Amino acid sequence: MSKRAVRILLIVVVVLGGLFVAADRLAVNFAEGEAAEKLRTNEGLAEEPDVSIKGFPFLTQVAGGELDEVEVGIKDYDAKSGADSIRIADLEARMKGVKFSGDYSSATAATASGTARVSYDELLKASKSEPVDLPLGAQGKVIGLSDGGNGKIKVEVEVSKGGAKLPKPVHVLSSVRVEGDHIKVHADEIPKKLEVLGISIPLPEGMVRDVTDFDQKIDDLPAGIKLKSVEAAPDGVDMSVTGSNVSLTG
């Protein structure tokens, strides 16, 4: 083969390769848009989520009936919590081994893992909304949650007696953990007594925990993923999520 023929062949290969890459990228962009719209509709999302299909070439994966990895990002998601809902922020899930049906109407991932966050303001809604009775006519109510450092939540409790509030709220450091589909907040230590208006009020642990300890149920994360672990962070509680045989599009 002459040098000129070799050059022509190389040019043809490069051009065909470029056309294949362009077609592949057009196909993956279309598929990502369709999957995002389907997910938005199925989950009742206010905004279309981000869907990114990994791996190259995409068309070869389609021919094999399975995608290597799909990443999904949802900015805000209202998960069910009993009769109420809780706003989940920055949900990012990585789904691997995504198989789809012959008519492309559904897709199921073998495994899924990811992260999300519940802000302290959202988690605060899980605490008791009404003051809880304490000894000697005092009452206590959680009025704030924030980062306590070292993986702890600082719980701010307002104490009142006879309508008069304690000048400064009481703070306790609490641990947070996952138990089933619940996020549980549990005070590490509680004060044994308080001085309110010159009166020393004993604080039985059980009564105080009725104020400080609470849990938040989260049982409706998208695609059937579940809570795995939680950790207190500066802006809220960071969650790890996981799942198997989870549905991406329905």
Side-chain angles (χ1 to χ4, degrees):
M1 183 180 292
S2 67
K3 291 183 178 179
R4 182 172 181 274
V6 171
R7 286 197 300 270
I8 293 173
L9 179 60
L10 289 175
I11 291 171
V12 170
V13 170
V14 170
V15 170
L16 290 177
L19 290 174
F20 175 79
V21 170
D24 190 81
R25 294 301 89 190
L26 286 173
V28 76
N29 289 338
F30 176 79
E32 288 170 345
E34 290 294 301
E37 175 58 25
K38 183 114 182 174
L39 185 59
R40 184 193 68 80
T41 301
N42 288 350
E43 299 294 343
L45 304 176
E47 298 181 4
E48 193 170 277
D50 293 326
V51 175
S52 178
I53 299 174
K54 303 300 181 180
F56 178 83
F58 166 69
L59 292 174
T60 302
Q61 296 181 67
V62 172
E66 182 175 335
L67 304 178
D68 296 338
E69 182 176 347
V70 177
E71 292 185 355
V72 176
I74 301 175
K75 184 177 181 181
D76 292 306
Y77 180 80
D78 290 326
K80 290 181 181 178
S81 176
D84 300 317
S85 65
I86 182 170
R87 177 64 56 89
I88 306 296
D90 301 325
L91 174 61
E92 296 183 356
R94 294 170 294 280
M95 302 185 180
K96 296 186 177 182
V98 180
K99 295 183 179 180
F100 42 84
S101 60
D103 61 357
Y104 305 105
S105 63
S106 64
T108 302
T111 62
S113 61
T115 58
R117 176 178 297 111
V118 176
S119 71
Y120 286 122
D121 285 343
E122 283 293 312
L123 189 60
L124 181 62
K125 297 176 183 178
S127 64
K128 294 181 175 64
S129 58
E130 297 298 326
V132 177
D133 290 336
L134 296 172
L136 302 179
Q139 291 185 314
K141 177 183 177 181
V142 176
I143 59 171
L145 302 174
S146 59
D147 180 25
N150 298 317
K152 303 293 183 180
I153 295 178
K154 183 164 70 172
V155 179
E156 185 176 351
V157 179
E158 180 183 84
V159 179
S160 61
K161 180 176 171 57
K165 299 176 182 178
L166 200 66
K168 293 184 179 180
V170 177
H171 296 95
V172 297
L173 289 178
S174 297
S175 298
V176 58
R177 72 181 191 277
V178 165
E179 190 172 300
D181 55 7
H182 289 251
I183 296 176
K184 288 187 171 287
V185 178
H186 180 83
D188 295 345
E189 293 184 18
I190 58 173
K192 302 300 182 183
K193 63 180 181 178
L194 282 176
E195 296 294 328
V196 179
L197 302 177
I199 301 174
S200 180
I201 298 178
L203 297 175
E205 182 171 342
M207 296 186 74
V208 176
R209 290 198 179 279
D210 284 342
V211 180
T212 61
D213 295 6
F214 59 93
D215 65 84
Q216 172 69 66
K217 185 177 183 181
I218 300 177
D219 60 357
D220 185 38
L221 291 172
I225 56 179
K226 302 292 183 182
L227 286 172
K228 180 181 179 182
S229 62
V230 290
E231 182 179 0
D235 298 326
V237 174
D238 287 343
M239 307 187 302
S240 293
V241 297
T242 187
S244 59
N245 296 320
V246 298
S247 174
L248 178 60
T249 58

